């Protein structure tokens, strides 16, 4: 054998009780699991796991590492947490499939998520070419962790009809269905949407249903950031459940939170909706992050009509005083659809990143605080930031409720997702801390979940959603994507004050039996690859 992990407390990802065993690894797979008292296997290398738990690698069901995986071979933000697989292409906006014009627009539109990409060689245009680029990684060696890809519906809509706020024609819907089918043929696991982001939010339910029919035909899943997490949250959840049931498509609800003051204490209403649908045969899962604030771009707070035509049109409207005043009124008084129908509270909007270093003085302050320092109204500060940084500012939105967070994470269809934006000087701590935060705070300190149940939420259940036949459990023949952690000390080091701090209590992480974290330090191993689902239309 290549490796034996001795005397581990095995938590196998099924939710079943932990047990003591030696686990042998050979050829990148789990070769033997020998319970305590059995004949011990031998190997070229042995790791003493006494006092440590051994689990499958964690699967981040909602990641924004689309360019980070190609920018940073180290990628310890995720590897150090025990993440061995990330699902990218989220929220309906990413970099494949594209043409030259769409690529330029998408780079500007989500510069707050990933930077402008000026350091990236965009050699791909199709989903398959992007996955090939991930496989190649750095000098042909690969990337830090594995990655699966969701086809972004907003990007697909850009290709078919641009940034226009109108119904798609029959021909345009046919073109979008073709693009989705092509992406699934090339290895994508499903389709994502960002229905509070333009241009994806311009799609009607009937348009989305047609795309979901294609996803269903390939046994993929639909992952919507739905139309509201605020004033219309429950209606938005109902819409997604009904839409996917009509299409016969599996549904995975992205960062399924109930935010803003209007939703405090209302998580049970969401869970009752899901339970009813599940009992009626619906295929539904969801992911959440174990924190209260959200994270997005400042530009996302604007009304959708202000974004029609794309990034250059947004900037032009912000430069025009009369139009900017209309935007302000909608954002501050009416509640923009980009801000989930809730009037914005500038003292809850913290600037977490900018592209232009000269604007760094805003970072770590709310828009209201920056405005007071400058003796101006918050909208004036926000408008100037958007213009000067060309839509680049990233924000933390402090609108969550602990009761809702805990109630949702206990649901049987829950999985873990960081929603981690790695770009910016002061990112949300979830980017570096989601998985140890679950294990340390919500298992050990608060007892919201048992250790076995939590590990299942982070491993076996997401692997089942992704239809991965040999990941997510510690089982003979499965891939040796493994994490050794100390249940007594594991904790997120990242905080809102020091968000780029690495976790503690996770000494070893393996992908395909190769150490990517060893004795708490990142190795130079690049074991990650694109995880393609090889499916054909049913």
């Amino acid at each position: 054998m290549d490796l034996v992990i001795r005397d581990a407390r095995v938590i196998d990802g099924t939710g079943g009780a932990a047990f003591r065993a030696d686990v042998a690894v050979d050829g990148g797979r789990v070769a033997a699991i020998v319970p305590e008292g059995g004949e011990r296997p031998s190997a070229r290398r042995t790791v003493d796991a006494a006092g440590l738990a051994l689990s499958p690698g964690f699967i981040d069901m909602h990641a924004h590492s689309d360019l980070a995986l190609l920018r940073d071979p180290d990628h310890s933000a995720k590897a150090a947490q025990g993440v061995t697989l990330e699902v990218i292409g989220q929220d309906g906006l990413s970099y494949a499939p594209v043409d030259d014009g769409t690529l330029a627009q998408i780079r500007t539109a989500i510069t707050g998520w990933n930077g402008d990409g000026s350091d990236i060689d965009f050699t791909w245009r199709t989903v398959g070419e992007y996955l090939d680029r991930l496989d190649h990684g750095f000098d042909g060696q690969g990337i830090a962790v594995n990655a699966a890809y969701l086809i972004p519906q907003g990007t697909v809509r850009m290709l078919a009809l641009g940034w226009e706020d109108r119904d798609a024609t029959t021909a345009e819907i046919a073109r979008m269905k073709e693009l989705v089918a092509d992406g699934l043929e090339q290895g994508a696991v499903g389709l994502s949407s960002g229905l509070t982001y333009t241009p994806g939010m311009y799609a009607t339910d009937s348009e989305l249903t047609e795309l979901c029919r294609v996803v269903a035909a390939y046994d993929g899943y639909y992952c919507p950031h739905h139309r509201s997490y605020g004033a219309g949250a429950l209606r938005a959840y109902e819409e997604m459940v009904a839409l996917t049931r009509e299409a016969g498509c599996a549904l995975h609800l992205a960062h399924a939170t109930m935010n803003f003051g209007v939703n405090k204490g209302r998580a049970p209403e969401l869970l009752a909706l899901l339970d009813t649908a599940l009992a009626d045969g619906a295929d539904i899962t969801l992911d959440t992050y174990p924190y209260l604030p959200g994270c997005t771009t400042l530009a996302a707070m604007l009304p959708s009509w202000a974004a029609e035509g794309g990034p250059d049109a947004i900037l032009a409207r912000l430069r025009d005083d009369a139009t900017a005043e209309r935007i302000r009124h909608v954002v501050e008084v009416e509640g923009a659809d980009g801000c989930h129908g809730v009037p914005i509270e500038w003292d809850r909007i913290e600037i977490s990143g900018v592209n232009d270093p000269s604007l760094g003085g805003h970072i770590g302050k709310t828009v209201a605080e920056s405005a007071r320092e400058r003796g101006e109204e918050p909208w004036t500060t926000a408008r100037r930031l958007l213009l000067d940084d060309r839509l680049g500012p990233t924000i933390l939105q402090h609108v969550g409720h602990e009761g809702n967070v805990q109630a949702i994470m206990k649901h049987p269809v829950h999985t873990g997702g960081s929603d981690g934006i790695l770009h910016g000087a002061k990112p949300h701590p979830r980017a570096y801390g989601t998985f140890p935060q679950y294990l340390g705070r919500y298992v050990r300190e608060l007892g919201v979940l048992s250790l076995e149940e939590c590990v299942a939420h982070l491993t076996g259940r997401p692997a089942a959603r992704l239809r991965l036949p040999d990941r997510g459990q510690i089982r003979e023949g499965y891939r040796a994507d493994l994490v050794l952690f100390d249940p007594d000390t594991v904790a997120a080091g990242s905080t809102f004050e020091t968000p780029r701090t690495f976790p503690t209590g996770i000494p070893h992480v393996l992908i395909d039996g190769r150490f990517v974290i060893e004795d708490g330090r990142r190795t130079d191993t690049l074991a990650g690859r694109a995880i393609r689902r090889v499916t054909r239309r049913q």
Side-chain angles (χ1 to χ4, degrees):
M1 301 290 181
D2 294 329
L3 171 70
V4 169
I5 301 170
R6 282 217 198 283
D7 295 320
R9 179 184 173 187
V10 177
I11 304 172
D12 65 6
T14 66
F19 59 93
R20 189 75 54 186
D22 292 351
V23 175
V25 174
D26 197 56
R29 294 183 180 269
V30 175
I33 303 169
V34 182
E36 192 172 30
E39 184 177 350
R40 292 193 144 181
S42 60
R44 285 180 287 277
R45 178 173 178 185
T46 299
V47 171
D48 182 1
L52 298 177
L54 178 68
S55 81
F58 303 137
I59 297 175
D60 188 342
M61 286 296 287
H62 193 102
H64 287 284
S65 302
D66 306 48
L67 298 186
L69 284 163
L70 298 174
R71 176 180 289 131
D72 178 16
D74 184 84
H75 201 49
S76 287
K78 294 302 179 67
Q81 293 185 59
V83 171
T84 58
L85 169 60
E86 297 183 276
V87 184
I88 55 179
Q90 300 284 354
D91 295 331
L93 294 167
S94 190
Y95 305 93
V98 292
D99 57 19
D100 291 351
T102 299
L103 176 60
Q105 291 181 319
I106 198 68
R107 285 174 61 180
T108 300
I110 55 174
T111 183
W113 292 358
N114 300 299
D116 64 9
S118 57
D119 56 338
I120 300 293
D121 184 7
F122 289 91
T123 56
W124 67 87
R125 293 297 180 269
T126 69
V127 170
E129 289 168 351
Y130 175 62
L131 297 178
D132 288 344
R133 180 71 179 84
L134 292 173
D135 274 341
H136 184 270
F138 297 89
D139 298 325
Q141 297 181 63
I143 49 181
V145 304
N146 294 316
Y149 190 70
L150 292 165
I151 302 162
Q153 170 258 331
T155 305
V156 166
R157 202 173 204 270
M158 282 182 225
L159 274 171
L161 65 152
W163 291 74
E164 297 180 42
D165 183 3
R166 62 170 174 83
D167 291 354
T169 66
T170 300
E172 289 163 344
I173 290 175
R175 172 60 174 150
M176 287 187 277
K177 291 171 69 174
E178 179 184 28
L179 289 166
V180 171
D182 287 346
L184 291 163
E185 289 272 359
Q186 293 162 16
V189 296
L191 176 74
S192 77
S193 282
L195 300 179
T196 66
Y197 298 127
T198 54
M201 70 191 305
Y202 300 144
T204 63
D205 283 3
S206 60
E207 177 183 320
L208 296 170
T209 300
E210 287 302 305
L211 300 186
C212 284
R213 292 190 200 281
V214 178
V215 176
Y218 285 86
D219 197 27
Y221 70 93
Y222 180 45
C223 180
H225 164 131
H226 50 272
R227 297 192 193 273
S228 176
Y229 290 82
L234 284 173
R235 290 193 302 277
Y237 283 116
E238 290 168 354
E239 175 192 13
M240 295 298 100
V241 171
L243 184 156
T244 50
R245 297 212 69 187
E246 181 178 347
C249 183
L251 172 64
H252 181 85
L253 296 166
H255 38 60
T257 58
M258 293 287 286
N259 284 339
F260 303 91
V262 295
N263 289 317
K264 185 175 182 179
R266 298 188 69 187
E269 297 175 58
L270 165 61
L271 300 179
L273 166 68
L274 299 183
D275 286 338
T276 298
L278 289 163
D280 197 32
D283 183 358
I284 302 174
T285 51
L286 58 86
D287 66 68
T288 71
Y289 47 83
Y291 296 88
L292 301 187
C295 179
T296 186
T297 62
L298 184 58
M301 299 293 100
L302 304 179
S304 57
W305 58 260
E308 186 178 5
D312 289 340
I314 300 173
L315 293 167
R317 291 185 179 102
L318 286 169
R319 290 188 194 99
D320 180 77
D321 288 343
T323 308
E325 175 57 22
R326 286 179 58 209
I327 295 171
R328 182 206 65 76
H329 180 81
V330 173
V331 168
E332 293 187 344
V333 180
E334 297 177 9
D337 47 7
C339 194
H340 310 277
V342 178
I344 201 163
E345 298 175 89
W346 294 115
D347 59 350
R348 293 178 178 266
I349 304 295
E350 177 185 350
I351 302 299
S352 60
V354 292
N355 285 332
D356 185 344
S358 70
L359 301 172
H362 294 276
I363 294 171
K365 300 172 184 174
T366 68
V367 172
E369 288 171 336
S370 279
R372 283 195 295 270
E373 289 179 1
R374 290 159 177 77
E376 59 191 18
E377 293 299 313
W379 168 246
T380 303
T381 300
R383 178 188 176 193
R384 183 182 296 115
L385 267 172
L386 288 166
L387 287 169
D388 291 351
D389 207 38
R390 290 190 56 80
L391 311 181
T394 308
I395 62 170
L396 302 182
Q397 194 169 18
H398 295 269
V399 293
H401 303 286
E402 183 66 27
N404 287 347
V405 168
Q406 292 191 24
I408 294 169
M409 74 168 61
K410 290 190 286 187
H411 196 275
V413 302
H414 169 267
T415 67
S418 70
D419 196 13
I421 294 174
L422 299 168
H423 179 65
K426 194 173 181 286
H428 196 301
R430 67 193 184 193
Y432 283 69
T434 286
F435 296 87
Q437 179 82 342
Y438 270 116
L439 298 169
R441 178 165 172 75
Y442 287 94
V443 171
R444 185 181 62 247
E445 296 176 8
L446 299 179
V448 175
L449 295 167
S450 72
L451 185 57
E452 290 89 347
E453 183 69 6
C454 184
V455 167
H457 284 227
L458 307 181
T459 61
R461 290 181 189 171
R465 164 50 71 222
L466 295 168
R467 307 282 198 261
L468 300 179
D470 59 355
R471 299 179 194 269
Q473 296 182 30
I474 298 178
R475 181 181 291 189
E476 291 182 2
Y478 274 46
R479 299 273 188 175
D481 294 352
L482 302 169
V483 181
L484 272 165
F485 64 92
D486 185 345
D488 295 330
T489 64
V490 62
S494 59
T495 66
F496 287 99
E497 291 71 33
T498 58
R500 294 187 185 275
T501 305
F502 295 120
T504 56
I506 305 179
H508 301 294
V509 181
L510 297 89
I511 297 177
D512 278 354
R514 302 165 65 192
F515 285 89
V516 295
I517 299 291
E518 186 173 10
D519 296 322
R521 296 187 178 184
R522 178 73 171 93
T523 71
D524 60 3
T525 298
L526 294 168
R529 298 292 185 273
I531 304 300
R532 292 172 171 84
R533 287 193 57 235
V534 181
T535 57
R536 292 294 178 265
R537 197 179 188 106
Q538 297 177 355

